Amino acid sequence: MVDARKERVIFVIAPAKIFGIFAADVLAISWFVPSIVGLHMNFRVSAWATSSLAALVLLTTPAAAQPAAAPPNADDLVVVDCRLPPKVRKLGTSMVYQAAGAVIRIPAKECELRGGEYTLLDPSSYGKAIQFWMAEAQRGDPRAQTNVGALYERMSPPDFAAAAQWYGKAAEAGFAPAQVALGQLYETGRGVPQDRLKALNLYRRAAGISDSTLTLVESAEPAKAPPEVQRQVDTLRQSLEESRKEIERLRRSLQKQRRNESETDRLRKKLAAAEQELAKRRQSLQRDGTRLASLPAPSIEIVYPLATRGGDRLQVKLRGTTNVDVIARVVSPLGIASVSVDGKRVPVDDQNMFFVSSAALAKGNPVRVAAVDLLDRTTEVELVGTAPAQRAEPATQRGAEPANSLKLGDFYALIIGNWKFVHWETIQNALNDARAVDELLRTKYGFKTRLLINANRQEMLSAFNDLREQLTENDNLLVYYAGHGHMISELDRGYWIPEEAELNRDTAWILNEQITDYLQIIPAKRILVIADSCYSGVLTRSSVQRPRPGLDEGTRMEVLRQLSTKKVRTVMTSGGIQPVLDSGSDGHSVFAAALLKILRDNSNVLEANRLFDALSPLVVASSERMGYKQTPTYRAIAFAGHEGGDFLFIPRTLN
C-alpha cells in the first residue's frame, strides 16, 4: 500500500523536474503547489515557500514523529559562502524562468534552513566558493569582487596575481576594503611589483586622508629609509658600529694599562686616531652628496599620555598618579645613535621607544630630551609636565563635549577567559585577567559586556553569532581573549583553544579565520580584538590611521570624528607565537597588567593605536626583566573588511 503523503510529494516534484526547476528549490515549489491544488496562482514568495527543504520533510513525516529542533552544534555556526536557491520569476502571461540566487555570508545552519548550497571552507575548497561569487563579480559588484580576491589569496597555493586583479577592479570603484587589501599586496610585493608609495596612497584613499592632520602608522618597527638607500644606511650603520666598538675596546684597554705609562700613551694615541677616523667618516658621508644626508633628522614625539607641541616644547598632560612614566619615541629613517634625558643616556628599545620619569615632570621643571642619529645630527625638545595639583578637570570642561559629539553608538565587549582545560595546561592568570577587563570596561568606559569563562567551541561561536544578530551598524565591539593560542607559522594559521580541545587534534580548535569571518559579517562599525595569545591573518600597521602627534585638542577631536566614519577591524596581540608569559604582577599576565594599567590611568579619548604604543614598551620591559622577550603587535585584520581609522576608548566622565 502506498502512503498518500509520499504520493503527494512525488506528484509535486515530478512537474518541477519537467519544467527544468530543481526539486530542492522551495521557491519553485511555491508556484507549482498552488496550481496543482487549484488555488489562485501567486508568484510572490509565501511564508510557506520560504521555509526551505524542511517544508518538504513536514509533508512526508507524521506529526507525532517530528523531532524537536535541536540546538545548532559548533560546525553549524561556522560562517560559509552560501548560494541561496534560484528565484522563480514570471515573464508575461506564460513564460516562467529562474533567476540566479544571491550569494551571502552566513552561518552554515542558516544557509541550510534557507535551502542554500555551501561548502565548509578550507584552502582546498575555495575554488567552489569563487564560483559562487564570480557571476556578481563579473557584473561589477565591488563587494563580490573583493570576496573573489580574498578567496584567491586564501586558497592553497594562493594566487596573488588573480587576487590583485579583482581587488583592483573593486578599488577603482572606490570600495575601501579592496583598497586596503590591494595596498597590502603592493606593500609586500605579492602578485604585483612591490611599490610602498602606491600602497600608502591606497591606504590613504581608503581612509579618506586628504590633509596633514592624519598620518599612517608606518609599521610596528622603527621607520626605515626608502628601499633604494637602505643599503647605504645598513653600510653606514655597520661602519659606525665597528668604529664605536673599536673605540670602546681601546678605552677599556686604556683603563687597564694605567700603570704602564708607555703602553698607556700608545693606547691614547690609538684611541684619538679611532675617534678622528669616526668623525671623518661622518663628515665624508655628509659631503658626498649621498641621499643619506638628505634624510630627515630625528624627531621626538610623546606616545603616552597626550602632549601638545609648541615649537621645540612639548606640553605633557600628566594624568592620575605619577607611577606611569611618560613614553616617548624617536622617529628616524637613518637610525639612532643615542637618546639622553637631561644629559643622561637612556635605553631605547627595538621600536625606538624610551621612558621619561613622570615624577621628574610632575615637579614642574622642564626636562631636556636629545636624540642623535647615525650622522651625528641632534634633535632636542623640552618636556613640561602638568603638576599633579593642576591635573583634575571637571567632565564639563574641554574634551567632554567633543567626545560626546562623536556619536559612536553603543559599546559592547565579549570577554573570554579560558583558564582551565580538559587536556591543555591550566593558565592561572586568565581568569583574573578576564574578570578585571570586564569590570574595567563596564565601570570606567560604559561597555555592555558578556563574560565567558572556560567556554567550549559551541559557546564561543554562539556568542559571535549572537553579536551578529544584536549589534547595529554604528555600534562598537571589543573582543578580549585570554587563553591558550596555537600558531602554525609556516601556514600563517592561528587557533584559539576552547576548554574541551585535545592537544594533538584540531577538530575542536577555533581557527582565527573563523573568527575573522564573523568580524566581517557582524554589522558593528568598529571592532577591536585584544588577544592575550596569537592571531593569524593580519595586515601591517600601515593600514591603521591616527591623528598626527602634537595637534591641539580641538583639531584632534575633529580628526577622530573623521576617522570614526570608517569601518575598523583591528587586532592587538600579546605577541606570543608560543605560549606567552602567564606570570606578571598582581595576579595578571604581563600583557594584561600593562593593558589594565594604561586603561585605568587614561582620562581622555584614547585610540587603540596609542593604547598599543603605550602598552608595548611596558610589556617588553617587564618580560625582559623576567628573562623572556615578548613583543606585542597591533595590526589591521585581513579579509574582515577593514577600511581605516581606529577603535576609541572613551571614559564615561567625558560623555
Side-chain angles (χ1 to χ4, degrees), residues 50-100:
T50 59
S51 61
S52 83
L53 287 178
L56 292 180
V57 177
L58 292 175
L59 293 175
T60 60
T61 307
Q66 293 174 15
N73 59 41
D75 285 340
D76 292 336
L77 296 167
V78 173
V79 175
V80 298
D81 294 282
C82 176
R83 182 165 63 185
L84 296 176
K87 296 181 179 180
V88 176
R89 300 188 184 278
K90 183 180 179 183
L91 184 62
T93 58
S94 59
M95 184 176 180
V96 178
Y97 68 98
Q98 289 187 98

Side-chain angles (χ1 to χ4, degrees), residues 515-542:
I515 299 169
T516 295
D517 288 339
Y518 264 108
L519 302 184
Q520 185 190 53
I521 66 173
I522 291 174
K525 177 75 76 176
R526 292 156 290 271
I527 300 180
L528 168 66
V529 176
I530 299 181
D532 202 347
S533 67
C534 58
Y535 197 96
S536 63
V538 295
L539 305 176
T540 68
R541 285 185 77 197
S542 297

Side-chain angles (χ1 to χ4, degrees), residues 82-139:
C82 176
R83 182 165 63 185
L84 296 176
K87 296 181 179 180
V88 176
R89 300 188 184 278
K90 183 180 179 183
L91 184 62
T93 58
S94 59
M95 184 176 180
V96 178
Y97 68 98
Q98 289 187 98
V103 181
I104 57 176
R105 307 208 76 205
I106 54 176
K109 188 63 176 179
E110 187 172 330
C111 183
E112 291 178 11
L113 292 175
R114 297 177 66 172
E117 177 185 3
Y118 71 89
T119 300
L120 283 175
L121 292 182
D122 60 65
S124 64
S125 65
Y126 286 154
K128 188 170 184 179
I130 289 173
Q131 295 175 10
F132 286 179
W133 291 104
M134 187 58 71
E136 292 183 37
Q138 290 174 337
R139 286 195 292 268

Side-chain angles (χ1 to χ4, degrees), residues 211-215 301-302 305-310 313-315 317 398 546-563 604 607 610:
D211 57 43
S212 60
T213 59
L214 284 175
T215 183
E301 63 182 41
I302 301 301
L306 280 175
T308 55
R309 180 180 290 273
R313 187 182 179 92
L314 292 173
Q315 183 78 29
K317 297 182 179 180
R398 187 174 181 179
R546 66 175 181 181
R548 189 173 297 281
L551 297 176
D552 64 78
E553 189 68 14
T555 304
R556 179 173 171 272
M557 293 306 302
E558 183 57 38
V559 172
L560 292 178
R561 188 176 295 105
Q562 178 183 347
L563 289 177
N604 239 303
E607 308 95 288
R610 277 202 312 120

